[in-house]
Amino acid sequence: MSTRTLTALFDSHAEAERGRQQLAQIGISPGMIEIMDQTAGTQTAPREESSWEKFKHLLMSDSERSEYEEGIRRGGSLLTASVDDSLTERTVAALEQCHPIDISERAAEWRKSGWSSPLQSTPAAGTARGRSDGECEEVIPVAEEQLRVSKRQVERGGVRVRAYVVEQPVQEDVRLREEHVDVERRPATQTSAAGRDDLLKERTVEMRERGEEPVIQKETRVKEEVAIRKHAEERVQPVKETVRRTQVDIEDNHGRISQPGSGAPKGAESRTPRH
């Protein structure tokens, strides 16, 4: 399984330590995490490769290395971690939680204040450089691209719920009671008036009619609820990309080709010496 080297620059050593703790929580071995700052070179045994020397071996462009060196010179701390490809996305997410420096933006601010990379005054790669013994050498830089994966938030859609009031006609039947007064004139009978001495007396009889009418009352009750909530989940997405590196082949005058550190040139024959 291949590995990636991820870097993150922080304003202080304490912030870099928090980044180290975050990486330890997701399973990154402590031996694969290193913090470099102004005191890194004094914390290593005499025969052990110093952090500054390791920093120079990181596969990054000279301009990037110069920016990181300036960040360390200004008091920053550089965290580097060698992780398996399967942990790249989780590692980047863990470091982002610690708010590392955006080195491009910070370098732009430095340049506005007058800072310039010292690499601008160094000889360009591949040019001849004089030596004390009068010889001349050609330098071919062997470089390799480094994959750095970051994250940004994008809109994936959403849900909008709108509540409003509508009117709906309804009808119910109700039974109402009404009173009616009926006045009837009819012939008197002899038995109804016999023996009464108040027949010529004034009188008033009043009888009122009553009725029922509907009384409408409305009651609001909750029928159901619509709950709107948002939840977050994490997923691991493989990031596939192509990185480039410099391949050096060495060809001698006999047409034989070899690579640095590969032993005998390609096409070399094994011969038995003759006596």
Side-chain angles (χ1 to χ4, degrees), residues 171-176:
Q171 178 178 331
E172 290 189 9
D173 296 332
V174 57
R175 186 177 296 278
L176 303 176

Side-chain angles (χ1 to χ4, degrees), residues 149-161:
V149 181
S150 60
K151 301 187 300 181
R152 64 178 180 181
Q153 290 189 348
V154 296
E155 291 288 342
R156 296 294 189 189
V159 175
R160 182 177 65 176
V161 178

Side-chain angles (χ1 to χ4, degrees), residues 133-206:
D133 55 3
E135 295 181 358
C136 183
E137 67 176 10
E138 292 284 343
V139 178
I140 300 177
V142 179
E144 184 177 15
E145 289 183 332
Q146 177 183 352
L147 180 64
R148 291 191 295 178
V149 181
S150 60
K151 301 187 300 181
R152 64 178 180 181
Q153 290 189 348
V154 296
E155 291 288 342
R156 296 294 189 189
V159 175
R160 182 177 65 176
V161 178
R162 184 171 67 96
Y164 55 95
V165 178
V166 297
E167 294 185 354
Q168 178 182 357
V170 295
Q171 178 178 331
E172 290 189 9
D173 296 332
V174 57
R175 186 177 296 278
L176 303 176
R177 180 177 178 275
E178 293 183 353
E179 297 178 346
H180 301 280
V181 177
D182 296 328
V183 178
E184 180 184 359
R185 299 186 66 145
R186 61 188 179 185
T189 62
Q190 293 295 331
T191 58
S192 62
R196 297 181 60 178
D197 55 359
D198 59 347
L199 295 177
L200 297 178
K201 185 179 179 179
E202 293 183 2
R203 66 178 61 189
T204 301
V205 177
E206 183 178 356

Side-chain angles (χ1 to χ4, degrees), residues 195-226:
R196 297 181 60 178
D197 55 359
D198 59 347
L199 295 177
L200 297 178
K201 185 179 179 179
E202 293 183 2
R203 66 178 61 189
T204 301
V205 177
E206 183 178 356
M207 184 177 292
R208 294 186 175 273
E209 297 178 341
R210 290 184 175 85
E212 296 177 338
E213 64 180 14
V215 178
I216 299 176
Q217 294 179 338
K218 292 187 287 187
E219 178 185 359
T220 303
R221 65 184 182 89
V222 178
K223 180 180 179 182
E224 63 179 355
E225 296 178 339
V226 177

